[in-house]
Amino acid sequence: MMTKSEFIDRYIYTFEPDFANSNRDRILLEETLYQLFEILNDGIQYDVISTKERKSDYYQYLSERGPVARQQIVFRCAYILEKIYFYHPPLLQDPKLNFVELCLIVKNKSAMRHFSKILATALQNRQFPLTSEQREQLIIALAGWASDPQIRVAVKVWVFECFIEFQKESETAREVIRDLWELFSINPTPGMVVRLKQWYKKMAAL
């Protein structure tokens, strides 16, 4: 089995056409999916653990890469994960992925785009059952993403799609979605105007 550093060099730093789909296929063919899970988990955990923990032997393969490379690793792993999810949706429920936990602690804003797209699609297709506690935790986390002015619009669009699903079973989500509607309605871009109209129709039909 290759080391995590070897995995990164083989899959994450391959600059080729159709990067994410190509590496999705290679990872599935070569049965290295769980290493992708591990590295994605490690990269996201690295941003929230203590300085002492970062210096441990376990995280050495990330420490030696430097801050810019570490964020690239997280983003590219998340991008490949998205491609694998749309190819094989059941992977989201694999306990080794810890997808809910990753959504709760991720700091990488590019990874948020892929996570929110995965989560919204899984909720819409009823592919990702959540406990009430998990749902409420995600509501709090994703509300933070949506209200952060530094988060890209694409992330906020997918987050709103998540809340359309959350509000079917959560009063908290119904309160948040009203706040998000007001927030997104302030000086909206032409693209957001289109989205707001689409969401209005979708929610009216519920």
Side-chain angles (χ1 to χ4, degrees):
M1 178 182 291
M2 71 181 77
T3 66
K4 292 177 182 178
S5 285
E6 289 171 338
F7 179 99
I8 290 169
D9 291 335
R10 178 168 176 74
Y11 302 111
I12 306 306
Y13 283 127
T14 53
F15 296 95
E16 58 188 34
D18 204 15
F19 159 82
N21 283 320
S22 296
N23 282 290
R24 172 202 65 193
D25 296 342
R26 293 168 68 192
I27 286 170
L28 293 176
L29 179 64
E30 297 171 13
E31 298 181 346
T32 53
L33 180 61
Y34 284 156
Q35 281 184 289
L36 175 71
F37 288 177
E38 280 189 57
I39 292 167
L40 182 58
N41 269 275
D42 290 351
I44 290 174
Q45 290 282 353
Y46 191 95
D47 285 338
V48 298
I49 59 177
S50 67
T51 301
K52 182 179 179 179
E53 289 176 293
R54 291 176 181 176
K55 292 180 179 179
S56 68
D57 290 342
Y58 181 84
Y59 289 104
Q60 183 179 353
Y61 80 99
L62 289 174
S63 297
E64 62 190 12
R65 298 275 174 170
V68 174
R70 282 195 298 273
Q71 295 307 314
Q72 289 176 336
I73 289 166
V74 171
F75 155 64
R76 291 173 181 168
C77 283
Y79 189 13
I80 295 170
L81 180 72
E82 177 195 317
K83 296 298 183 179
I84 296 175
Y85 161 71
F86 280 100
Y87 181 80
H88 183 62
L91 83 84
L92 211 58
Q93 298 183 49
D94 192 310
K96 291 185 179 180
L97 176 59
N98 298 322
F99 187 67
V100 170
E101 180 183 349
L102 294 184
C103 288
L104 297 179
I105 66 173
V106 65
K107 302 297 183 185
N108 185 293
K109 293 178 173 57
S110 296
M112 288 177 182
R113 177 175 183 174
H114 300 292
F115 283 5
S116 57
K117 182 177 180 180
I118 291 170
L119 183 58
T121 305
L123 293 172
Q124 290 165 352
N125 295 327
R126 301 182 182 276
Q127 295 166 336
F128 193 43
L130 297 168
T131 65
S132 296
E133 181 181 6
Q134 288 175 324
R135 186 184 305 108
E136 294 302 310
Q137 289 174 328
L138 286 169
I139 286 169
I140 293 171
L142 268 63
W145 297 7
S147 59
D148 185 339
Q150 296 183 341
I151 299 294
R152 294 181 179 180
V153 172
V155 177
K156 298 182 180 187
V157 166
W158 286 113
V159 165
F160 198 93
E161 294 284 351
C162 290
F163 272 95
I164 290 176
E165 301 305 314
F166 287 149
Q167 56 98 29
K168 295 176 182 177
E169 301 183 63
S170 168
E171 178 58 35
T172 303
R174 286 191 281 274
E175 294 174 3
V176 172
I177 204 170
R178 287 193 289 269
D179 292 338
L180 293 181
W181 184 275
E182 291 180 8
L183 179 64
F184 294 171
S185 298
I186 299 173
N187 299 319
T189 63
M192 182 57 76
V193 170
V194 172
R195 284 286 184 178
L196 289 167
K197 290 179 179 178
Q198 292 173 341
W199 290 331
Y200 181 83
K201 292 179 180 178
K202 182 181 289 189
M203 290 189 293
L206 294 178

